[in-house]
Amino acid sequence: MVTEAVVELEGPSGRPKYDDLLSNPTSDAQAAGHMRASAVYKQKGDRFKLATQAFDRQYAHIYFQRLMLMKPPLLTKVRQKWPGVQLANILTLPENDEVLVVGTVYKDMKLKPSILDEYVKDRGASQLVGRTKFVGADDSIILEDESARMKLRGEGLPVGQLVTGVVMAVKGVAAPGGDFQVNAFCFADMAPQAPLPSLSEDKYVALVSGLGVGDDAADPLKLSLLVDYLVGSLASDEEQTRVSKIVRVVVAGGLLKSTEGLLQAITHKQPRQQAAALAPIREVDMCLSELAGAVPVEVMPGNNDPANHSLPQQPLHRCLFPLASSFTSFNRVTNPHEFEVDGISFLGTSGQNLDDIYKYSVEENRLTLLQRMLEWGHLVPTAPDTLTCYPLSDSDPFILQSAPHVFYVGNQPAYSSQMVAGPEGQKVLLICLPRFSSSGTLILVNLKTLAVHPIQFDADISA
Amino acid sequence: MVMFRAKLRWQKLVLCAEEQAQKLLRQFDLTAKYGPCTDVSRKQRWERARKLGLDPPQGVLQALEQLDASHPEQQGIWADRT
């Protein structure tokens, strides 16, 4: 789906002529240059910001909050679907009646890496080396509510697709032996969505992720081309008209290849070695300051970026970007991030949530997993089980209270996008952003039509 | 003699009330319906239960408000033990 260096956007057709930039402007209007379009921006990700950071709470509180906050809407939905079925507590399940239980899923996987494996002599590491998925045929689902837990049995239960941490409602009968025979199950389903506003003119939001600066194998010319393109100093006048319609650039994590350089800079005593170790972050800072001078930029931290490791990742510190921080158009935001541009809501992460679910689910298609996340009503269900999460206790900010219009995930191996529909007429655009360091792809989302345009930058001079 | 017996009876009554309050708070801690009782003070847990609509008993809040803010009974039963 990714095209070559020829830009294929809507608008007047024809290949861009590079001669246009090498000659005098043909008209006064052209000489005046282009004005960038502007859009109304609203920051909606305040719930991901942590006011205090206290680590004395246990993770049981997050699970309790998650269950209690997701239970009421799930119950109203389920009462309509299965009227007349009693709600029961796991601890006080009646013997032979068909009941309804709401709880959190725990998936028991034998292949799941556990720290205790080191102490068991016969299980070697050889089983787990080279595995991308930890699912097995003998995985089982256990449902937990605030009182107790029970094992679920049932042919229709999608054991392979479920992951730990999803809140589910099941209807069935208690089987002898303490298990529960499931007849039907239900999830929270897609949350309500604000109506899609209609815009009068084309405007674009540019999404990119995985810049990977500091990687010796990566080509720094690609990043240069990207910055030049977004600033508008690349290609012909026609192209610049289109670029002037890009109202926002979002970098969804993955700025640096790794934070090794920054950590080594502390140990190096010589200024020359220190400068070499800090070169990647300086390069990122220069690129971002160039961008911020031309277009509003938002930067989300990724897995290998110098921000806290546990979700929700807090914004990168402004000292890392001394040049870019002087621009008000430069926004350092959290991961996950939610914002609204001209009424179109975007929600996205830097990829840790999708990568983690991918490991524990049989599903191969990443877009289907994104759709599942919307169905389950939770952005990061596997936190805190397998994905590090901050020990929150007041609320669970990852619960999807409303469905966004665009749902993006960064740092994925390949680009893919799809429009999915919800049960109440919601329409969500799902986008998997590929890593820029390997694919050189920038994604433009048209706010008027919700069409997606990938633009590939290739700096290969030899071909 | 009579005064001594009356004093003993009075002390027994006061102790009974304290014990009853302790029992009530302990039961509140161990009720799984209101969530995990570790790492939060009893008042915080009561507030959380009220916000989530779980209808915690008013008697617990009254018993907590009668005590000092630094009273050991303000913390749950597992405080300092985990």
Side-chain angles (χ1 to χ4, degrees):
Chain A
M1 272 215 67
V2 178
T3 61
E4 289 188 331
V6 174
V7 174
E8 272 185 6
L9 289 184
E10 325 120 307
S13 64
R15 290 181 78 100
K17 298 192 217 64
Y18 56 84
D19 289 352
D20 286 347
L21 283 177
L22 296 173
S23 54
N24 280 327
T26 47
S27 64
D28 281 332
Q30 213 184 50
H34 295 274
M35 276 297 285
R36 192 172 287 277
S38 65
V40 177
Y41 171 76
K42 210 160 95 172
Q43 155 81 282
K44 284 169 79 176
D46 283 333
R47 63 182 188 277
F48 299 119
K49 287 223 175 93
L50 300 169
T52 54
Q53 297 204 9
F55 291 91
D56 56 355
R57 298 279 164 96
Q58 294 190 7
Y59 286 125
H61 298 276
I62 306 183
Y63 280 119
F64 180 67
Q65 287 282 353
R66 191 183 294 182
L67 183 59
M68 288 294 127
L69 288 171
M70 292 187 71
K71 213 171 176 180
L74 187 52
L75 273 181
T76 39
K77 180 162 179 275
V78 150
R79 290 232 155 87
Q80 277 180 343
K81 196 168 166 185
W82 306 319
V85 189
Q86 288 286 355
L87 178 69
N89 220 357
I90 293 181
L91 208 49
T92 55
L93 267 183
E95 279 296 306
N96 293 317
D97 293 337
E98 192 177 57
V99 283
L100 172 68
V101 182
V102 177
T104 318
V105 164
Y106 176 75
K107 190 161 160 183
D108 194 14
M109 293 175 274
K110 296 215 170 46
L111 293 173
K112 183 166 137 185
S114 160
I115 193 87
L116 300 172
D117 289 345
E118 293 176 33
Y119 301 103
V120 174
K121 288 195 188 119
D122 16 343
R123 173 100 74 86
S126 52
Q127 266 192 42
L128 301 172
V129 164
R131 266 188 178 276
T132 45
K133 282 186 180 290
F134 299 109
V135 286
D138 51 356
D139 294 339
S140 60
I141 299 283
I142 297 175
L143 196 71
E144 287 187 14
D145 75 355
E146 61 268 20
S147 57
R149 50 164 33 194
M150 64 188 183
K151 194 161 167 189
L152 298 182
R153 281 187 201 287
E155 277 75 48
L157 209 55
V159 178
Q161 292 176 8
L162 280 175
V163 287
T164 307
V166 177
V167 174
M168 187 161 95
V170 290
K171 177 171 79 115
V173 190
D179 295 347
F180 191 78
Q181 184 69 28
V182 174
N183 298 335
F185 59 91
C186 177
F187 300 110
D189 250 342
M190 219 185 274
Q193 190 188 52
L196 188 67
S198 54
L199 299 176
S200 49
E201 47 175 12
D202 280 339
K203 279 189 198 166
Y204 299 93
V205 166
L207 301 169
V208 69
S209 117
L211 300 179
V213 177
D215 189 1
D216 289 330
D219 194 352
L221 198 48
K222 271 197 237 183
L223 185 56
S224 252
L225 275 179
L226 172 73
V227 172
D228 284 340
Y229 177 78
L230 288 171
V231 162
S233 43
L234 204 64
S236 63
D237 190 54
E238 233 177 72
E239 203 49 52
Q240 285 176 335
T241 326
R242 277 181 236 154
V243 169
S244 69
K245 300 207 175 107
I246 299 179
V247 290
R248 202 143 204 112
V249 174
V250 179
V251 182
L255 293 173
L256 297 179
K257 171 89 175 29
S258 74
T259 45
E260 265 178 57
L262 286 174
L263 296 169
Q264 278 172 8
I266 305 171
T267 54
H268 287 157
K269 295 296 172 195
Q270 300 215 351
R272 200 157 47 97
Q273 281 176 326
Q274 255 193 2
L278 293 176
I281 192 76
R282 289 235 165 86
E283 201 183 313
V284 173
D285 186 27
M286 277 199 292
C287 290
L288 289 175
S289 62
E290 262 189 67
L291 265 184
V295 60
V297 182
E298 310 214 311
V299 170
M300 291 167 61
N303 204 18
N304 293 330
D305 287 334
N308 59 315
H309 191 251
S310 48
L311 291 181
Q313 279 184 299
Q314 298 303 291
L316 293 156
H317 203 277
R318 64 189 301 257
C319 293
L320 290 167
F321 309 109
L323 296 170
S325 292
S326 51
F327 289 96
T328 50
S329 51
F330 180 66
N331 254 340
R332 294 161 295 110
V333 293
T334 54
N335 168 32
H337 182 47
E338 189 171 6
F339 63 98
E340 211 179 79
V341 177
D342 267 356
I344 314 250
S345 62
F346 285 70
L347 172 65
T349 62
S350 301
Q352 294 105 321
N353 56 341
L354 185 58
D355 289 338
D356 208 53
I357 296 181
Y358 182 79
K359 279 191 264 183
Y360 301 107
S361 168
V362 277
E363 188 64 59
E364 290 287 337
N365 187 347
R366 287 180 184 246
L367 285 176
T368 319
L369 286 175
L370 278 184
Q371 200 180 350
R372 291 264 173 277
M373 269 194 254
L374 289 172
E375 266 176 34
W376 294 332
H378 203 269
L379 196 54
V380 197
T382 50
D385 185 41
T386 41
L387 192 55
T388 340
C389 170
Y390 176 74
L392 301 144
S393 58
D394 301 326
S395 64
D396 189 348
F398 305 120
I399 298 178
L400 294 173
Q401 310 275 16
S402 65
H405 293 119
V406 180
F407 189 25
Y408 64 90
V409 174
N411 290 303
Q412 298 302 303
Y415 158 70
S416 50
S417 74
Q418 192 189 359
M419 187 72 114
V420 291
E424 291 160 22
Q426 302 103 320
K427 280 214 159 83
V428 184
L429 174 64
L430 307 174
I431 312 179
C432 282
L433 303 171
R435 276 178 223 113
F436 189 79
S437 50
S438 51
S439 68
T441 313
L442 167 76
I443 310 292
L444 292 186
V445 179
N446 187 337
L447 295 180
K448 186 170 155 199
T449 60
L450 281 190
V452 185
H453 301 283
I455 300 183
Q456 191 177 23
F457 296 91
D458 195 358
D460 198 3
I461 318 173
S462 58
Chain B
M1 195 59 188
V2 173
M3 290 291 285
F4 183 61
R5 277 230 184 95
K7 195 178 178 186
L8 270 181
R9 245 179 311 190
W10 174 246
Q11 279 178 345
K12 224 178 180 179
L13 275 173
V14 166
L15 213 61
C16 260
E18 262 185 36
E19 269 178 12
Q20 284 214 344
Q22 268 185 13
K23 220 182 192 177
L24 180 66
L25 291 174
R26 220 180 317 141
Q27 259 184 343
F28 173 66
D29 271 350
L30 295 174
T31 319
K33 178 178 159 194
Y34 307 118
C37 65
T38 50
D39 309 319
V40 278
S41 74
R42 281 174 173 154
K43 220 175 210 173
Q44 282 173 336
R45 188 161 174 260
W46 196 93
E47 271 303 310
R48 179 178 73 185
R50 186 191 60 88
K51 249 191 252 181
L52 290 171
L54 300 167
D55 204 16
Q58 279 294 124
V60 169
L61 188 64
Q62 283 166 0
L64 288 173
E65 277 172 348
Q66 278 171 4
L67 300 167
D68 256 356
S70 54
H71 199 276
E73 285 293 319
Q74 290 280 1
Q75 305 301 321
I77 45 174
W78 303 122
D80 298 331
R81 290 188 200 186
T82 48

